[in-house]
Amino acid sequence: MRTAFSNALVEAATQDERVVLLTGDHGYALFDEFRKRCPGQYINAGIAEQNMVGVAAGLAKAGLRPIVYGLSAFIPVRVLEQIKIDVCYEKLPVVFTGDGAGLVYSTLGTSHQSFEDIACLRSVPHIEIMSPCDAHELTACMRMALRAEGPVYLRMGKADVGQVHASLPDLRRGQLVRVREGHHPVALIATGSMVKAACALGDELAASVWSAPWIKPLDTRQVAELAAGASAFVTFEEHSAAGGLGGAVLEALSETRPLPMLRVGIGERFSQTCGSYAHAMREHGLDLASVRERVLPFAARWKAS
C-alpha cells in the first residue's frame, strides 16, 4: 500500500505543479522517487508538526495543493487544533495522510499506536475521512482527495495484508463498495486492514461484504437500503469501536432503520504488552481467530431468527 501511495504522490505532482508534499521528518525511502522527480515540491518541515500544518494552510491559501504526511499518531492526533482552526475553519484543500494507523507500530507502544484518529476528526466540520483497504483503493482515494474542494484525511495502515480488489474500484463519494456478494441475512461492513478479515468470514458465512473507503461522509441512504435487506450488521475496524466506522453506521441506522449491530474494534484499553503487529492484533481481539469467535455466534443468532 505504501508503494501505491508513493506512486500516487509522484503521479499527482508530475501532473500538477501545485501539488506540494510536506513531511515531519518521516519517510525518506518512501519519498526517494518523489524527491528525485519533483525536488521543488518537497518540504521537510522537521519534527514540528503543528507548524507544518500552518505552513500547509498558507500554501493552500496561495493556490497550491499541499499534502501533509506523518504518522497517524501525530497527523492528525498531535495537530488536531491546527487542523481545526488553520485548515477546516477556512475549508482549505489540504490532504492529510496518516501512516501507520491502528496497531502497526506495535513495539513502540501507545505513543505511536493510533486508534482514535477517526473519532477525533469525525466531529470537526468540513473535513472528509478516507480509509482505503488496499493499494487499489488507496490509489483511487488519493486521486479523489486531490480533487476535493476542502480538507481530507487519508488513513493508511502500514501492514500489507494483501489485495482486496483486482483493479481500481469505482469509488463514489461517501459510498460503500461491495467486495463480496452473499445471501446471509447479516451484512459485513469493514474498513482499512479489517476488510480482509471480513472477507474471510464472509466466505464462511456466505455473507455480503462491503468495504468503507469513506468514513465521512457516509452515504446514509445507501446504509438504509442495505439495512432494508438485512437482519443485522457487523462492522470491522482497526480503530476504537467508539467513534469510528461502527459509530458512523450506528448513527446512520438510528435515523432510518435501527438494526442489531456488532462492532468489532478496539475496546476501552491501551496496549499492555509489547510484541509484533500480529501479537498486538491478538491482544486487542482483532486477529481472525478472535474475531471469528465473536462474529459467528452473532451471525448464527440472527440467521436463526
Side-chain angles (χ1 to χ4, degrees), residues 59-235:
L59 294 173
K61 293 186 76 169
L64 301 180
R65 297 293 309 226
I67 301 172
V68 177
Y69 172 90
L71 306 188
S72 62
F74 310 140
I75 307 291
V77 177
R78 177 176 289 175
V79 297
L80 185 62
E81 179 185 0
Q82 285 73 30
I83 291 175
K84 171 186 170 182
I85 301 300
D86 295 351
V87 176
C88 293
Y89 185 76
E90 298 197 53
K91 304 180 185 179
L92 298 176
V94 178
V95 177
F96 298 98
T97 55
D99 198 359
L103 299 168
V104 172
Y105 286 104
S106 54
T107 58
L108 298 181
T110 296
S111 64
H112 283 61
Q113 295 169 11
S114 174
F115 42 82
E116 65 288 312
D117 49 319
I118 294 173
C120 287
L121 283 181
R122 277 189 62 220
S123 60
V124 177
H126 309 313
I127 189 166
E128 299 192 8
I129 302 173
M130 295 179 173
S131 175
C133 70
D134 69 0
H136 291 307
E137 267 194 9
L138 185 144
T139 300
C141 282
M142 277 291 292
R143 291 175 181 175
M144 298 193 76
L146 287 166
R147 292 198 296 266
E149 296 181 358
V152 175
Y153 171 55
L154 191 144
R155 182 184 208 253
M156 295 187 295
K158 191 174 182 180
D160 184 4
V161 296
Q163 297 284 34
V164 172
H165 301 280
S167 59
L168 287 182
D170 180 20
L171 297 190
R172 300 185 182 182
R173 184 173 180 267
Q175 290 196 347
L176 305 172
V177 180
R178 183 160 60 189
V179 295
R180 188 195 186 284
E181 188 168 2
H183 53 77
H184 196 285
V186 175
L188 313 181
I189 304 174
T191 193
S193 65
M194 295 302 290
V195 175
K196 288 289 285 187
C199 287
L201 293 174
D203 289 340
E204 294 184 36
L205 295 168
S208 293
V209 179
W210 299 80
S211 172
W214 248 284
I215 308 296
K216 178 189 176 186
L218 184 65
D219 189 331
T220 56
R221 180 178 299 180
Q222 185 188 25
V223 172
E225 291 172 353
L226 293 180
S231 298
F233 281 162
V234 181
T235 59

Side-chain angles (χ1 to χ4, degrees), residues 258-274:
L259 275 185
M261 200 174 97
L262 173 65
R263 289 177 292 164
V264 175
I266 296 172
E268 186 74 5
R269 66 189 300 275
F270 294 111
S271 296
Q272 300 298 312
T273 60
C274 183

Side-chain angles (χ1 to χ4, degrees), residues 218 220-221 223-224 248-259:
L218 184 65
T220 56
R221 180 178 299 180
V223 172
V249 173
L250 265 180
E251 291 165 18
L253 290 173
S254 70
E255 298 175 355
T256 54
R257 184 179 183 271
L259 275 185

Side-chain angles (χ1 to χ4, degrees), residues 279-293:
H279 170 85
M281 293 290 278
R282 284 194 300 272
E283 180 183 345
H284 288 275
L286 292 183
D287 62 300
L288 183 57
S290 300
V291 172
R292 182 184 287 112
E293 288 181 1

